[in-house]
Amino acid sequence: MSATGRGWRPGSRTTGEGTTDMAERLAHGTAGSFRRAAERLARAPQKAGVAIVFLLALLASWSLAAWAQTAPDLHVAVYEATASATPRQIEALPASTFQSLSGAMLPLHGGPGKTIWLRLDTELPVVDDEQASRWMLWINRAAVDRIVLHPAAGKVVYPGADFFLPRDTTVEHDSGYAFVLSRTTGGPVTMYLEVAAQGDFALSLRLRNEADVVAADRFEIMLTTALYAGLALLLLLGGGMYGALRDRQYIYYMAYVGAALAFLLAHNGPLYAMPWVKHWGHFRTLGLCALVNVLAAATVATTRGFAGLSRAMPAFDRALKFFLFVPGVLVLACLVNMPASVPALQVASLLDQVLAGMLAVATTALAWRHQRNLAPPMLLMWLLVLATGTARALADLGLVAGNEWIGYADQMMLAFNALLMGFALTDHIIEFRLQRDRASLAKDQADASLKMERERLKFIEALHTTLRDAPSGDQEWLAFRRLLEVIRELVPQYSSAVALHAFHDNDLLLCEPNTTREAYITLLATRGGAFKGISRSQLPMQLRVDSPMTVDGSAPDLIQYAVLPLPLTAPAWGMLLIERRGWQGFERDELAVAAELAQKAARAVEDAANDRVMRINAEFDALTAVFNRRTMDNRLAAYFKESIQRRTPLVVLFADLDQLKDINDAHGHATGDQCLRALADVLKAHCGTSAVVGRFSGDEFVVILPDLNPEQARRWAEAVRIEVNGMEMEFGSKKLRLRVNIGMASRLAEDADANQLVERAEKALANARRAGRDQVEVAAIHRSVGGTSSR
C-alpha cells in the first residue's frame, strides 16, 4: 500500500467552494480546446488568402489574354448634344466637331437633357465565309438610360438598350452590349453611338469577334453565378446562425452580405430583370447610389460588431455608431429621385463608400491591436476591398483610367470578404460555446452544491430523528449505515465502508455494498496498523493498494482508497473508507464532503448516547431504574386526560415495602436499597407495555394502570403482593422475607384532575398499613368509571 497524495485536513475551505476546482479545470480545458480550434480557423483564412490571390491572378491573366486578341483599330470621338438632336443632324457635323478620346475606359459626363454622341471610325475586313464569326461592337455594361448604334447612312438599323429597363434584346449580353456588324460591311466604316445617362459613367468600346463575345458571356455567367450563389448561401448561413445563437452580430453580417448581393445584382444588371424588384429601375442611377450607401452602412456596422470596441474604446465606438446616420441620410436623398441631384449624390456616395472602407480598415486594425481573433486576415481583405472598390467607383465616374478587370476584382473581393467574415464570426460561435459551457458549469456547480446541501441537511435531520429513540446498541449501526448510503450518492465509488474499533466497547464493520465485506475484513487484517495510525493522526489521505495479478495474467485494476478518520475518543478509533477503481483519484471537494458527513455521523452517535444518559438521569430514578416522581406526575396527567377523552377506566396504585425502616436499622441501608430494587423489578415485570411504574418518594412506588377496571386492577395488585411475599432475600447467612402494602383507586366521573385520584390511592395505602400490613386496599368507590369494587 502506497500513498498517492499528501495528507489534507478538511475544513480548509467550505463545502460550497469545493466544487469550483473541478469546474475551473473543466472550463479551462474547454476553453483550451476552443482556443486551438480558433487558431486553426485563423490559419485557414490566411492560407485561403494565398489561394485567392493566385486565383485572381490566374483569372486576370486569362481574361486579359482573351481580350488581347487582334482586332481592327477603333477611333472614338465624342460630342455632347441636347436630347433633341437627331442622328441625321449629328451625321452632318464635320469630324472636327467631335473630340477625340483614347484609353481602355472612356470617362463621359451625362446629365438631364443631355445626350452623348460617339463617332466611331474603323476599317473592317470583309467577311465572305458565312460560317465565320462576325465582328461585333462590344461595349461594357454601363449603367446608362439609353444606348443606340446608328450607321453612317443615318438610318437606325440596330436596336437600342436600357440598363435599368432591360427589354431582352440581342444587344444586351451578360458581359456587355454587343452590336453585330453587317457581314457585307468592309473597308472604312463610320458609326455613331448615342448614349444618355443621368450622371457620370465610363464606356469601354472594342471590336471583337462574335466567338470571343460568346466566350466572354460564358465567363461572365460562370463568375457572377458563383458570386451570387456564394453570397446567397452565406446569407442563409448567417440567418441560420442567428436563429441558433440569437447573436446580433449575425444580423449585421446578414445586412452586409445582403447589401453586397443586392449591389452586385444591380451593378451587373440582373436585379432589374427580376419581376419582383424590376420597379427599382425607375430610380435609375440614384437607385445604384442608394445601394452603395446601404453597403457602406452595413460595412461599418459589421466591422463595429466584429471589433467589439465598446468597452476598450467607447469614444471610437460611438463615432462608428454616429457614422451610420450619414449613409442613411444619403439613401433617403437618393430615394427622393431628383435627376438634377445625380452628380452631387454620385460624388457623395463615392466619398461615403471610401470613408466606410477606411473606417472598416481602421476598426479592424484596432481589433488586431486588442488581439481580436482573425483580425490580421480581415485587415488584409478590407484593404483589398477598399482598394478595388475605390478604383471601380473612380473608373465608373471617369475620374481615373480603368479597365474591365477592375469591375471583376471589386466583385470578387466583396464575395471573398463576406466569406472571410463568415470565418471570422466563427469566433462568436466559440465565444457562445464558451459562455454556454461556463453557464452550464455554473449551473452544474450550483446544482451540485444545492444537492450536497440538501443531502447534508437531510442526513443531519435523519440522524437526530433516528437516533433519538433508537436503542443504545443500534445507534452506531443506524448512523453509519445512513452515512454510507449518502456517501454513495454524493461521491462516485466502487464501494465504501465504516470500520470502528472499541467504539462504545464494540467493534463494527459496515460495508456498501455488503458483498464487499470479506474484502474489507482482509484489508483491515493485513493493513490494520497503517489504518490505525492514520485514524490516530486525524489526517485524511488517499492510498493506492497494489492488487495481485489476476488468474489469466492480465493487469489488475488499480485500487485507490480515501481514508477519512472519525473523531473518536481514545482508545476507540475508526475511519470511513471509500474505494475507487482506476487512475482517477479523489477530488478535494469529494473528500471535504465525505469528511464532513463522517464527522457529523460520529458526533451524532456521541450526542445521542449523551442525550440518552441525560434523559435517563432526568426521567429515571437512579436507585431503582424506574421513572422518578416528576416523570410520573407528567405521565399521570397525560393518562388522566386521555382517560377522560376516551371514557376509559384508569387506576392508580401505590405500593411500599412493609417495615423498610426496621430493615435499614437492622441490616443497613444497602440492604434496604436492595429490597427497593427487588420490589421495583417485580412491579416492572408485571407492568408489561401499557402500565407505568415510578418511585414516588422514599419506599413508595406508584403504578398507573390504564384501561383496567377496579376488579382487574385488584387482581393485578394481588399478583404483585403474592410474588413479593414469596420472595426470600439472602444477606450473608441471614434470610429476609419481604412484604408489600398496596393501595389503589379508580378514576371517578367527578374527578377534576389527577390529584384527587392520587389522594384516594394514598389514603388506601395508609389503610392497608393500618389493616395489618401485607394488604391490598381499594379506595371506596361511589361512582367509578369502567367497573366497581368494594372494600
Side-chain angles (χ1 to χ4, degrees):
M1 179 169 57
S2 58
T4 61
R6 295 182 299 172
W8 166 80
R9 291 190 179 277
S12 59
R13 62 186 299 171
T14 62
T15 306
E17 296 172 346
T19 55
T20 57
D21 292 342
M22 182 168 55
E24 289 175 356
R25 283 192 292 273
L26 182 57
H28 290 165
T30 306
S33 300
F34 284 124
R35 192 179 298 109
R36 289 190 293 271
E39 291 174 354
R40 289 194 293 269
L41 287 173
R43 290 193 295 269
Q46 294 173 358
K47 297 178 180 178
V50 178
I52 289 172
V53 173
F54 176 76
L55 178 61
L56 293 177
L58 182 63
L59 291 175
S61 61
W62 178 69
S63 60
L64 291 176
W67 290 335
Q69 297 179 3
T70 59
D73 293 333
L74 182 65
H75 179 266
V76 182
V78 63
Y79 174 74
E80 296 183 1
T82 61
S84 60
T86 64
R88 191 175 297 277
Q89 292 174 340
I90 298 300
E91 183 180 351
L93 295 175
S96 59
T97 307
F98 293 84
Q99 182 180 358
S100 179
L101 297 176
S102 62
M105 296 291 292
L106 304 178
L108 301 172
H109 304 284
K114 182 189 295 186
T115 301
I116 305 298
W117 289 89
L118 297 179
R119 176 178 174 137
L120 310 178
D121 295 297
T122 186
E123 186 171 350
L124 295 177
V126 178
V127 180
D128 297 329
D129 189 359
E130 291 293 332
Q131 302 297 324
S133 297
R134 297 172 295 180
W135 289 104
M136 305 182 73
L137 175 62
W138 180 89
I139 306 171
N140 65 304
R141 198 170 177 82
V144 296
D145 298 337
R146 184 177 72 257
I147 184 167
V148 184
L149 182 64
H150 302 274
K155 297 181 180 179
V156 178
V157 296
Y158 300 105
D162 187 338
F163 179 84
F164 299 103
L165 298 174
R167 295 186 295 271
D168 196 22
T169 64
T170 56
V171 173
E172 297 177 0
H173 288 245
D174 292 290
S175 58
Y177 308 109
F179 298 91
V180 180
L181 302 181
S182 174
R183 289 181 179 276
T184 59
T185 302
V189 176
T190 300
M191 298 171 288
Y192 294 91
L193 187 66
E194 179 187 0
V195 185
Q198 291 183 346
D200 296 341
F201 61 97
L203 292 182
S204 174
L205 296 86
R206 298 176 184 274
L207 292 173
R208 301 179 65 179
N209 190 280
E210 187 176 10
D212 296 338
V213 174
V214 172
D217 285 344
R218 291 175 180 173
F219 172 76
E220 179 80 13
I221 293 173
M222 177 186 67
L223 179 62
T224 56
T225 301
L227 293 178
Y228 303 153
L231 290 174
L233 179 60
L234 291 176
L235 186 62
L236 292 176
L237 290 177
M241 295 307 298
Y242 174 75
L245 304 180
R246 298 296 178 184
D247 188 349
R248 187 169 54 182
Q249 177 59 27
Y250 283 98
I251 294 182
Y252 300 148
Y253 176 70
M254 292 170 60
Y256 176 77
V257 175
L261 179 59
F263 171 75
L264 293 184
L265 288 171
H267 183 269
N268 296 328
L271 179 71
Y272 305 105
M274 297 179 180
W276 42 283
V277 291
K278 64 181 181 180
H279 295 292
W280 186 259
H282 292 292
F283 290 97
R284 297 191 173 272
T285 305
L286 290 176
L288 272 176
C289 293
L291 292 177
V292 169
N293 289 291
V294 170
L295 181 58
T299 297
V300 175
T302 304
T303 52
R304 174 175 173 263
F306 167 78
L309 300 176
S310 57
R311 294 184 178 180
M313 303 182 66
F316 184 77
D317 186 75
R318 287 194 297 270
L320 293 178
K321 189 176 181 180
F322 176 77
F323 171 80
L324 297 178
F325 290 99
V326 177
V329 172
L330 291 177
V331 169
L332 293 177
C334 292
L335 296 181
V336 175
N337 201 16
M338 296 178 60
S341 63
V342 170
L345 288 177
Q346 276 188 309
V347 175
S349 299
L350 172 61
L351 295 177
D352 186 35
Q353 178 185 6
V354 174
L355 182 57
M358 295 173 64
L359 288 176
V361 171
T363 304
T364 310
L366 292 174
W368 185 8
R369 178 182 176 184
H370 288 84
Q371 299 181 349
R372 185 74 163 81
N373 289 336
L374 300 178
M378 282 300 304
L379 178 60
L380 174 62
M381 187 56 67
W382 278 121
L383 287 171
L384 292 175
V385 170
L386 176 62
T388 55
T390 304
R392 187 262 313 154
L394 293 175
D396 287 346
L397 295 177
L399 300 179
V400 297
N403 53 52
E404 294 83 353
W405 179 243
I406 291 179
Y408 290 118
D410 173 52
Q411 297 183 52
M412 285 187 289
M413 286 301 103
L414 277 177
F416 286 133
N417 185 58
L419 176 63
L420 184 60
M421 189 174 294
F423 276 109
L425 288 181
T426 55
D427 183 56
H428 281 256
I429 301 177
I430 295 173
E431 184 63 27
F432 173 79
R433 291 289 302 272
L434 287 174
Q435 292 178 358
R436 188 185 69 178
D437 289 343
R438 284 193 290 264
S440 178
L441 288 173
K443 181 179 180 300
D444 292 343
Q445 177 183 344
D447 291 343
S449 299
L450 182 61
K451 178 182 178 182
M452 186 185 308
E453 185 64 18
R454 185 170 57 248
E455 292 293 336
R456 187 179 71 86
L457 295 177
K458 187 190 301 182
F459 174 70
I460 295 173
E461 182 180 357
L463 285 179
H464 289 293
T465 303
T466 304
L467 300 183
R468 182 182 298 114
D469 300 323
S472 59
D474 295 339
Q475 291 175 341
E476 295 85 355
W477 188 92
L478 291 173
F480 292 112
R481 171 55 62 186
R482 177 61 181 159
L483 172 65
L484 293 180
E485 293 174 357
V486 174
I487 292 298
R488 191 166 187 84
E489 290 291 329
L490 298 179
V491 181
Q493 59 182 264
Y494 180 80
S495 67
S496 56
V498 171
L500 302 172
H501 175 73
F503 185 52
H504 295 169
D505 298 326
N506 292 314
D507 292 342
L508 181 65
L509 176 62
L510 296 176
C511 304
E512 180 65 33
N514 197 47
T515 54
T516 59
R517 183 178 180 83
E518 294 298 328
Y520 277 105
I521 291 176
T522 304
L523 178 67
L524 293 172
T526 56
R527 296 178 172 89
F531 286 128
K532 182 177 180 181
I534 296 175
S535 298
R536 295 293 190 204
S537 68
Q538 290 294 301
L539 185 65
M541 295 188 69
Q542 295 188 54
L543 302 178
R544 186 179 69 244
V545 175
D546 299 326
S547 56
M549 295 292 291
T550 58
V551 178
D552 57 0
S554 60
D557 291 335
L558 179 64
I559 302 177
Q560 300 188 70
Y561 287 97
V563 185
L564 305 170
L566 300 176
L568 306 181
T569 304
W573 59 271
M575 75 208 75
L576 168 65
L577 297 171
I578 306 176
E579 179 187 4
R580 183 174 284 177
R581 300 290 177 93
W583 289 97
Q584 182 183 4
F586 293 89
E587 301 291 340
R588 253 182 109 175
D589 58 314
E590 295 175 335
L591 294 178
V593 171
E596 180 188 8
L597 296 182
Q599 291 174 1
K600 289 187 179 299
R603 291 187 183 126
V605 173
E606 294 284 4
D607 293 342
N610 294 334
D611 289 343
R612 185 176 181 84
V613 172
M614 293 177 63
R615 189 167 64 250
I616 290 175
N617 294 334
E619 296 181 356
F620 290 85
D621 178 64
L623 177 62
T624 59
V626 297
F627 288 119
N628 55 28
R629 178 168 180 171
R630 184 179 65 179
T631 304
M632 289 303 295
D633 288 339
N634 295 332
R635 294 292 181 96
L636 181 57
Y639 278 103
F640 187 86
K641 182 178 180 180
E642 183 180 1
S643 176
I644 294 176
Q645 293 175 347
R646 295 172 53 198
R647 297 186 178 182
T648 56
L650 177 66
V651 176
V652 174
L653 182 150
F654 272 81
D656 67 354
L657 284 175
D658 195 10
Q659 298 179 344
L660 178 62
K661 185 177 182 302
D662 296 338
I663 296 175
N664 288 332
D665 293 341
H667 303 284
H669 286 279
T671 302
D673 292 343
Q674 188 174 353
C675 293
L676 288 174
R677 284 193 290 267
L679 176 58
D681 291 340
V682 173
L683 292 174
K684 286 193 293 183
H686 282 263
C687 281
T689 58
S690 58
V692 180
V693 62
R695 188 178 180 186
F696 198 72
S697 65
D699 61 342
E700 290 184 359
F701 291 86
V702 62
V703 180
I704 303 173
L705 298 175
D707 300 327
L708 294 184
N709 58 38
E711 180 59 30
Q712 293 170 333
R714 189 187 62 78
R715 291 196 296 267
W716 187 92
E718 283 290 342
V720 171
R721 185 190 66 78
I722 293 172
E723 183 176 347
V724 173
N725 194 24
M727 295 177 61
E728 192 175 63
M729 306 292 295
E730 295 185 2
F731 302 99
S733 60
K734 298 179 181 181
K735 293 182 179 181
L736 178 65
R737 296 182 64 87
L738 300 180
R739 293 181 179 182
V740 64
N741 301 313
I742 300 176
M744 52 177 289
S746 299
R747 182 179 70 82
L748 301 179
E750 59 268 21
D751 287 340
D753 53 39
N755 291 332
Q756 295 174 331
L757 181 59
V758 171
E759 288 177 2
R760 293 200 304 274
E762 287 184 310
K763 290 179 180 179
L765 178 60
N767 293 334
R769 294 193 190 113
R770 287 194 298 267
R773 304 184 184 280
D774 194 18
Q775 298 290 324
V776 175
E777 184 73 14
V778 180
I781 301 176
H782 302 287
R783 190 169 50 186
S784 64
V785 180
T788 60
S789 180
S790 62
R791 221 169 170 38

